[in-house]
Amino acid sequence: MHSHSRISIVFVLVALLLCACGDGDPSRADLVPANLSRLDPNVIALVEKQMTQIESQPRDAASYAELGMIYEANLLWPDARRAYAAAVELEQTSTWWRFHLAVAARTAGDTEEALKLLRDLTAEHPELAPAQQRLGEALTEVGELADAASAYRRVIDLMPRSPEGYHG
């Protein structure tokens, strides 16, 4: 492991520890990409504007979710995941933020966590076709083909004229 990687891991662990020991609100370091200065200036401006909103209302779940959307739109999946996780922590009943957290987790490479989130979400909301479809994809990815087929059949039942279920 490179020394830079070890330093990054130590930094992340310290940041997580500080967050866990604090008042529960994620810090700026938890939510702003380390490479922010290398991003497009328009993205930087959006992130900075949203961080100002979060800092002025740190208990507003929607502000964290909006930051997640900014990251998601710019394919910054690990950052989107952290922002959506903060939103879900503040408002655990939000179906869509939980859905986007699962999508971000899976796209960031954590299929196991995404599967847990999607299974919980589809159990609570079996009518949520996008979650069923993403569950089918994740199950296919890990080789659980019978369960994936069930999820895709549910998508077909919910949206018979849409290609998502048939594609699976």
Side-chain angles (χ1 to χ4, degrees), residues 36 39-49 70-71 74 76:
L36 181 66
L39 298 176
D40 181 274
N42 293 318
V43 175
I44 294 170
L46 286 170
V47 170
E48 290 296 341
K49 179 180 177 189
I70 291 166
Y71 291 145
N74 288 283
L76 300 168

Side-chain angles (χ1 to χ4, degrees), residues 39-131:
L39 298 176
D40 181 274
N42 293 318
V43 175
I44 294 170
L46 286 170
V47 170
E48 290 296 341
K49 179 180 177 189
Q50 197 57 35
M51 285 306 301
T52 299
Q53 173 66 28
I54 288 169
E55 289 163 354
S56 72
Q57 296 182 318
R59 306 300 297 166
D60 178 33
S63 294
Y64 293 94
E66 190 168 329
L67 181 63
M69 287 180 235
I70 291 166
Y71 291 145
E72 185 175 339
N74 288 283
L75 308 178
L76 300 168
W77 295 107
D79 302 301
R81 180 183 183 180
R82 285 190 299 276
Y84 286 129
V88 169
E89 181 67 29
L90 290 170
E91 192 172 313
Q92 296 176 3
T93 59
S94 174
T95 303
W96 288 109
W97 299 339
R98 289 171 57 205
F99 171 75
H100 282 278
L101 174 58
V103 169
R106 181 166 168 250
T107 308
D110 192 347
T111 302
E112 184 178 322
E113 178 65 14
L115 275 170
K116 181 192 177 316
L117 292 165
L118 289 166
R119 283 183 170 131
D120 290 349
L121 191 56
T122 56
E124 294 170 32
H125 301 281
E127 77 289 351
L128 192 62

Side-chain angles (χ1 to χ4, degrees), residues 31 48 78 135 142:
L31 296 171
E48 290 296 341
L135 177 61
V142 297

